[in-house]
Amino acid sequence: QVQLKESGGGSVQSGGSLRLSCALSGYSGYIYSNYYCMGWFRQPPGKEREGVATIKGDGSTLYTDSVKGRFTVSRDNAKTTLNLQMNSLKPEDTALYYCAVDENIHCSGSFSPRVYDRWGQGTQVTVSS
């Protein structure tokens, strides 16, 4: 059973930094590690879930415009942990953050939550002004 577990959320002041991690377990296989896409999503209070940053099997990354230059998505060499370094945080970054996996070997790193197959339970990020 593939499982994802986020950690690293918390409360910071505007301009601060946080690093989120997502541990991937229960999977096996060369294809899963090298062809599937992983992503970070967030859901602000009262709003829909939105894509923040994604990474493809080849290591290429995509960012939504509002976080470009501030957030960095990365994977460890074993590809078992997905990270999101968040700098220069703003109050509008406040949300429940999720990691997710798209198990399509032709995945594109989409920001649409609907194409992702597996999700963690989320970790809360709160940024105060």
Side-chain angles (χ1 to χ4, degrees):
Q1 179 82 18
V2 175
Q3 292 186 326
L4 290 80
K5 184 173 178 60
E6 303 93 340
S7 62
S11 297
V12 296
Q13 291 190 328
S14 182
S17 298
L18 283 173
R19 183 177 178 86
L20 305 183
S21 293
C22 173
L24 182 66
S25 62
Y27 78 103
S28 62
Y30 176 84
I31 290 179
Y32 202 102
S33 299
N34 290 277
Y35 289 93
Y36 291 171
C37 297
M38 295 191 72
W40 284 100
F41 293 78
R42 65 187 180 187
Q43 188 163 14
K47 297 185 179 180
E48 293 186 352
R49 194 170 299 187
E50 62 181 7
V52 175
T54 62
I55 187 166
K56 298 173 65 175
D58 63 4
S60 58
T61 57
L62 294 169
Y63 297 91
T64 193
D65 287 346
S66 64
V67 308
K68 285 180 180 177
R70 301 189 298 123
F71 291 11
T72 303
V73 61
S74 63
R75 257 180 344 213
D76 68 339
N77 289 337
K79 298 179 182 177
T80 58
T81 302
L82 181 72
N83 301 303
L84 184 68
Q85 178 65 42
M86 305 186 296
N87 298 327
S88 302
L89 283 161
K90 304 175 181 180
E92 51 263 44
D93 294 318
T94 295
L96 189 59
Y97 282 71
Y98 300 88
C99 63
V101 177
D102 178 359
E103 296 176 337
N104 180 348
I105 62 172
H106 301 296
C107 62
S108 62
S110 170
F111 286 149
S112 173
R114 292 176 295 176
V115 307
Y116 286 77
D117 304 286
R118 301 188 187 274
W119 293 83
Q121 293 188 333
T123 185
Q124 179 67 39
V125 171
T126 302
V127 185
S128 58
S129 57

